[in-house]
Amino acid sequence: MQIYLPIAELPVNMFMLFGMGGAVGFLSGLFGIGGGFLLTPLLIFSGIPPAVSVATVTTQVVASSASGVVAYWRRKMIDFKLAGMLLVGGVIGSAIGVWLFDLLRTLGQLDLVISLSYVTFLSAIGGLMLFESLRSMARRRSGVRVAARQPGRHNWVHGLPFKMRFRQSRLYVSVIPIIFLGGVIGFLGSILGIGGGFMMVPALIYLLRVPTNIVIGTSLLQILFTMAAATFLHAMSTQSVDIVLALALMIGGVIGAQFGARMGQKLRGDQLRLLLALLVLSVGVRFAVNLVLQPDELFSVSAAIAEVRR
Amino acid sequence: MRRPLRQMIVLLGLGCLLAAAPAAPAARAENLIAALSADRVNIESNFTGTRIVVFGEIARDALTVARPEPYDLAVVVSGPEQVVTTRRKGRFMGIWVNRDSETFERVPSFLAVHTTRAPHEMASRTVLERHRIGLRNLNLPIAIASDVPIGDRDNFREAFLRLRVQNGLYQEQTDSIEFLSDSLFRTSVSLPANVPVGEYTVSTYLLRGGALLAQAEQPLTIAKSGFEQFTYRLAYEYSALYGLLAVALAIFTGWLAGVIFRRD
């Protein structure tokens, strides 16, 4: 069934959208990630203009993180103060990101920056996760017990000024790395249409040593607000949020996520991380191949952004 | 229900025009009368492209000069003009990036040319260019600030036309105008799903022996309607409200899902 998208200005098959939303939702439920980094490329590869894909996925991420936040809130596993500080950075990062997004679009280099950033971030993070999960699998096989959180140990992050106490996370750290982390993720989120959960979660655990049970809920809450801000800013400056596309993706996504979450409980942590690493890496490689191989069509045509039409 | 009614009105109007034609004082040249099956195309949520029929009549009277050559007709449907940038990728440090670009000003966002035979057989290039008869005869004015060398510009022109033809926004069909009688003609122009919205012009030209004998022009409006138009206007004119609505919708959907699939 074809449905005409009012902002993307083209008809697409609605079941294809439900399918994509569902598949990505399944993976996001399985791995506890937003799935934006999978959904945006899928939309771009299926012919939706990159600008609309990125802006609309930010909206979809709002929906998927909202449903997660509800669940974690009920279990009181969110550090609101930490999320608030991350958010301060996130809003600043999003604003810079949306501004740059608009600038790159007029320069005609938006697609390149999206591709390059995907290659860089996905390969780096995918590689790290692959390495980490393989190491922990090997350790488990050889029977070495992995020490969990070591509250006494400090790294360089704990030497920074402007310290603040976070009761729920049992932390006393500088706000600089927190705001910076929020900023980077907000920036990437608005440029790439990703929530950044797959970067936020490891950063909070390994860099700031936030307890694992608090991390996911807090990260989801922060992503919810950052992506809500990014959606709003995209709507204001680029007008490329397609509400019909977003709704179709959300419906598929939230249903898929439920099945994914159930499946996820049957797999071990390091197996999950290995699968996720392979997934992240393959998306990165897909972008890299596109950049390196000579394209079939060297030319592209883009019309100047239209003024208000009635 | 509305469309057949409108067609009838158009046909009635056409009839009136035909009836009025002989009353005109001593016409010597041919008259061209043309009409559209619809003067407005509405884009709704189920829009996947449509067709409009352009039909008309070559009106002659006893005083019209008899000519040996056959009549040639051209129907040109052109969309609102826009500024378009054509970019070319080049290899830069091992990866393919957009390098050169050429900006064309005032090019039609949509162009369909239907003719009775190949445009270059019908008239001189000057006539064809003036009326955009044939894609080859489309003027592509270049923005003043262009850093592409003159010798390279044709490549951009060619690429632009090729890409526009590929996504269905530019079409050229020779032999597509059907004569129902000696003087009645008809052609059907397809408007693809990605047709841009705006005010269109449908021009019909009657040529013979390389000379333009008569022309007729009809406006055509392609607009989003109902929900599509509402959403589009909201997004562009009330962006802040649209943004807030999008966020609210997303949070509501997420919350609803969280409640429905609650497991504890």
Side-chain angles (χ1 to χ4, degrees):
Chain A
M1 199 182 113
Q2 297 280 314
I3 182 166
Y4 188 86
L5 302 177
I7 305 296
E9 302 197 305
L10 47 88
V12 287
N13 190 320
M14 202 156 66
F15 295 111
M16 184 186 82
L17 292 182
F18 283 147
M20 285 197 307
V24 171
F26 177 81
L27 293 171
S28 87
L30 184 61
F31 299 121
I33 53 171
F37 77 98
L38 291 169
L39 194 50
T40 309
L42 266 179
L43 291 180
I44 295 175
F45 293 143
S46 63
I48 311 242
V52 176
S53 308
V54 168
T56 304
V57 169
T58 57
T59 321
Q60 199 270 345
V61 173
V62 171
S64 64
S65 46
S67 87
V69 164
V70 172
Y72 284 97
W73 197 343
R74 213 178 281 130
R75 286 176 232 155
K76 297 194 170 33
M77 297 207 300
I78 299 177
D79 185 334
F80 286 97
K81 197 171 173 188
L82 181 61
M85 281 297 129
L86 285 168
L87 188 61
V88 171
V91 171
I92 300 170
S94 296
I96 300 173
V98 168
W99 170 79
L100 189 65
F101 186 88
D102 217 12
L103 180 74
L104 289 169
R105 191 158 86 154
T106 44
L107 290 179
Q109 298 296 358
L110 180 65
D111 301 4
L112 172 72
V113 172
I114 292 179
S115 302
L116 266 183
S117 320
Y118 265 103
V119 172
T120 321
F121 287 100
L122 298 187
S123 318
I125 290 162
L128 276 175
M129 283 185 353
L130 184 68
F131 176 71
E132 189 274 332
S133 59
L134 287 177
R135 202 176 53 174
S136 89
M137 277 171 122
R139 273 215 201 109
R140 188 163 44 78
R141 253 187 226 131
S142 60
V144 180
R145 269 190 55 88
V146 190
R149 188 168 178 249
Q150 298 150 311
R153 255 207 9 225
H154 281 189
N155 54 19
W156 59 271
V157 168
H158 296 82
L160 293 169
F162 304 112
K163 291 205 167 191
M164 193 180 253
R165 191 169 297 284
F166 297 96
R167 284 234 165 64
Q168 180 123 30
S169 307
R170 282 169 287 145
L171 270 184
Y172 182 61
V173 287
S174 162
V175 293
I176 295 173
I178 297 176
I179 291 180
F180 182 74
L181 183 64
V184 168
I185 289 176
F187 175 77
L188 290 174
S190 49
I191 289 268
L192 303 180
I194 57 178
F198 70 105
M199 291 183 271
M200 177 76 89
V201 170
L204 288 178
I205 294 175
Y206 295 113
L207 229 56
L208 298 176
R209 303 190 184 284
V210 179
T212 313
N213 58 347
I214 304 288
V215 164
I216 296 176
T218 307
S219 141
L220 277 175
L221 183 68
Q222 129 77 11
I223 288 167
L224 168 64
F225 278 102
T226 314
M227 289 292 102
T231 296
F232 183 72
L233 293 169
H234 270 303
M236 286 292 284
S237 74
T238 61
Q239 281 99 19
S240 46
V241 176
D242 197 309
I243 216 161
V244 175
L245 177 61
L247 191 63
L249 294 173
M250 283 175 210
I251 294 171
V254 292
I255 295 170
Q258 299 304 322
F259 291 100
R262 256 160 245 189
M263 177 88 177
Q265 288 162 350
K266 292 179 192 145
L267 286 169
R268 261 200 316 273
D270 47 4
Q271 287 175 333
L272 274 179
R273 289 202 298 276
L274 177 68
L275 286 174
L276 179 59
L278 292 175
L279 189 69
V280 169
L281 268 181
S282 58
V283 177
V285 168
R286 171 80 169 85
F287 271 96
V289 166
N290 271 11
L291 278 176
V292 175
L293 289 189
Q294 174 162 4
D296 291 337
E297 176 61 82
L298 290 178
F299 288 92
S300 63
V301 170
S302 66
I305 296 153
E307 322 89 87
V308 177
R309 293 173 297 191
R310 279 149 212 269
Chain B
M1 191 55 212
R2 283 170 68 188
R3 199 166 286 167
L5 189 70
R6 199 176 288 140
Q7 263 177 23
M8 265 184 64
I9 294 170
V10 170
L11 282 171
L12 267 175
L14 189 63
C16 291
L17 277 171
L18 291 180
R28 281 172 193 281
E30 288 80 352
N31 246 329
L32 184 63
I33 297 143
L36 307 179
S37 55
D39 57 6
R40 189 183 166 88
V41 171
N42 288 328
I43 297 186
E44 285 160 10
S45 57
N46 57 0
F47 182 77
T48 53
T50 184
R51 304 186 79 87
I52 54 157
V53 177
V54 183
F55 57 96
E57 155 146 49
I58 304 163
R60 286 178 299 179
D61 56 32
L63 292 168
T64 304
V65 191
R67 295 172 223 246
E69 301 97 338
Y71 285 120
D72 281 318
L73 278 165
V75 171
V76 179
V77 180
S78 40
E81 295 189 337
Q82 54 181 193
V83 178
V84 167
T85 305
T86 305
R87 297 191 169 86
R88 184 173 57 194
K89 285 200 168 82
R91 204 177 254 279
F92 177 72
M93 294 180 26
I95 57 169
W96 289 89
V97 302
N98 285 335
R99 301 209 67 175
D100 311 308
S101 70
E102 183 90 294
T103 301
F104 302 117
E105 283 177 339
R106 303 197 315 277
V107 295
S109 50
F110 178 87
L111 186 66
V113 181
H114 285 208
T115 51
T116 42
R117 56 180 167 145
H120 67 268
E121 294 170 1
M122 287 168 38
S124 68
R125 210 177 150 86
T126 338
V127 175
L128 298 176
E129 269 188 18
R130 187 179 312 141
H131 303 294
R132 290 176 171 167
I133 302 173
L135 299 187
R136 298 266 142 224
N137 306 310
L138 176 65
N139 249 321
L140 292 175
I142 291 163
I144 308 145
S146 167
D147 46 5
V148 177
I150 310 261
D152 201 11
R153 288 193 176 165
D154 268 353
N155 294 331
F156 282 87
R157 237 185 95 89
E158 294 287 317
F160 170 75
L161 291 175
R162 185 178 68 236
L163 288 169
R164 278 283 158 106
V165 168
Q166 243 170 47
N167 61 19
L169 293 177
Y170 281 18
Q171 323 160 359
E172 180 173 314
Q173 283 182 32
T174 51
D175 280 343
S176 57
I177 300 179
E178 189 187 351
F179 273 95
L180 304 171
S181 73
D182 276 353
S183 56
L184 274 175
F185 64 88
R186 166 179 86 176
T187 186
S188 160
V189 179
S190 88
L191 303 173
N194 56 347
V195 68
V197 296
E199 299 298 327
Y200 283 59
T201 320
V202 181
S203 310
T204 312
Y205 301 100
L206 176 66
L207 300 105
R208 176 175 254 189
L212 180 66
L213 300 180
Q215 67 184 77
E217 206 165 90
Q218 269 76 37
L220 167 69
T221 306
I222 298 185
K224 292 177 185 149
S225 72
F227 176 74
E228 270 54 44
Q229 195 225 7
F230 175 76
T231 313
Y232 191 88
R233 278 192 66 179
L234 197 65
Y236 278 83
E237 287 172 39
Y238 305 96
S239 306
L241 182 64
Y242 183 84
L244 289 177
L245 268 177
V247 171
L249 179 73
I251 292 179
F252 176 73
T253 314
W255 170 80
L256 193 68
V259 170
I260 291 174
F261 295 103
R262 180 175 179 163
R263 262 172 294 153
D264 44 36

